[in-house]
Amino acid sequence: MPLAEELKKIIDHLPENVRLVAVSKTMPLEVLMEAYRAGQRIFGENKVQELVHKYEELPKDIEWHYIGHLQTNKVKYIAGFVQLIHAVDSLKLLKVIDKEAQKANRCISCLLQIKIASEDSKFGLSRQEAVSLLQSESLPLLKNIRISGLMGMASYTDDSEQVRREFQNLYTIFKKLKEDYFKASDDFSEISMGMSHDYPIALEEGATLIRVGSLIFGERNYNT
Ligand SMILES: *Cc1c(COP(=O)(O)O)cnc(C)c1O
């Protein structure tokens, strides 16, 4: 199916409060432009160098999301323009993002990545680790970051009931943290979950951001 049609098919079925992050990692500029011309404005990347290059070359009304594991020494390259960092999993990283955001005179929105999959290869915080981070005394000192919600990746499995349980778990953790730590603010409002193969389940379980790549752009080729 042509890219524009695939995009439309996904967007037409999104509830009003849900946004699509088109995950364009490994895709060349002209393919991103095709999605842009079809109306897509939010793109997700997981390599700093690639993101910077695409940011420099493409229209400035694109909203760039960083969706991968971010190393502290690379934050400075994206702090000037990134709109949302999806996978923050330590206070140390938050502090660096804050410092670089301050230099750039910006406030950067971040999601805490929660480990919901049973596979242990995935990055992310446990619920308890997220609680410790939110209770940390230094967190209120970070004026140039905003914790906007949570992000998670389900297990890579055909067992859709397992995937559903993992998304439900993320939603439950989200509700509880919102209640305990963000009651007086609207800041904490995003749940980033769901990829090409499991986003319909994520929508049913309360996602507000879905991160879809291969379904829109086709399979990635990491060798070229
Ligand atoms: C690559 C990637 C996606 C998109 O995966 P698809 O299966 O191509 O939709 C979503 N989230 C993260 C964190 C990714 O790295």
Side-chain angles (χ1 to χ4, degrees):
M1 194 183 298
L3 192 156
E5 271 177 52
E6 196 62 70
L7 260 178
K8 186 173 179 335
K9 212 176 77 183
I10 297 170
I11 289 167
D12 282 352
H13 290 94
L14 290 187
E16 219 174 293
N17 65 324
V18 180
R19 294 181 297 154
L20 166 68
V21 180
V23 176
S24 48
K25 60 193 188 195
T26 79
M27 294 296 154
L29 296 173
E30 60 269 24
V31 174
L32 277 77
M33 272 315 290
E34 199 181 336
Y36 179 88
R37 281 190 296 270
Q40 183 63 27
R41 289 295 180 272
I42 308 177
F43 292 86
E45 293 283 337
N46 71 344
K47 295 272 189 300
V48 166
Q49 209 181 353
E50 186 177 344
L51 172 54
V52 169
H53 175 67
K54 287 172 173 172
Y55 164 72
E56 284 169 353
E57 297 297 324
L58 292 173
K60 290 295 172 281
D61 62 340
I62 290 178
E63 186 177 311
W64 294 102
H65 291 197
Y66 191 81
I67 62 167
H69 183 69
L70 182 56
Q71 289 169 278
T72 49
N73 61 342
K74 297 200 170 154
V75 174
K76 57 178 178 282
Y77 301 113
I78 62 172
F81 65 90
V82 72
Q83 293 286 332
L84 182 63
I85 299 178
H86 282 238
V88 174
D89 61 1
S90 72
L91 184 61
K92 179 171 162 240
L93 178 57
L94 268 183
K95 285 179 177 169
V96 175
I97 296 170
D98 180 69
K99 192 179 94 199
E100 295 299 333
Q102 192 177 2
K103 282 189 203 162
N105 204 7
R106 300 183 69 226
C107 181
I108 299 178
S109 294
C110 299
L111 305 179
L112 299 181
Q113 181 172 2
I114 305 291
K115 187 199 231 131
I116 53 170
S118 52
E119 303 135 38
D120 50 30
S121 63
K122 301 257 161 74
F123 293 105
L125 303 162
S126 67
R127 193 188 63 84
Q128 193 46 51
E129 287 166 338
V131 166
S132 308
L133 189 155
L134 291 170
Q135 286 177 342
S136 143
E137 282 172 11
S138 47
L139 191 61
L141 305 175
L142 308 182
K143 303 292 186 201
N144 294 70
I145 54 116
R146 181 184 296 121
I147 298 182
S148 303
L150 302 180
M151 176 269 201
M153 287 172 89
S155 296
Y156 194 80
T157 168
D158 289 334
D159 182 351
S160 56
E161 283 315 306
Q162 181 182 345
V163 169
R164 187 180 298 283
R165 280 194 303 276
E166 292 173 358
F167 287 152
Q168 283 170 347
N169 183 29
L170 186 61
Y171 188 81
T172 305
I173 295 170
F174 170 82
K175 280 285 174 207
K176 178 81 173 113
L177 295 180
K178 188 173 176 66
E179 174 75 21
D180 290 349
Y181 300 99
F182 296 91
K183 218 168 175 179
S185 98
D186 292 330
D187 278 356
F188 196 76
S189 60
E190 303 282 6
I191 307 180
S192 167
M193 60 183 186
M195 304 167 41
S196 290
H197 62 285
D198 58 15
Y199 84 86
I201 304 175
L203 290 177
E204 288 171 4
E205 301 305 335
T208 66
L209 288 161
I210 56 171
R211 309 178 309 268
V212 179
S214 46
L215 191 62
I216 301 167
F217 297 110
E219 290 305 319
R220 288 175 290 271
N221 183 350
Y222 287 100
N223 300 320
T224 55

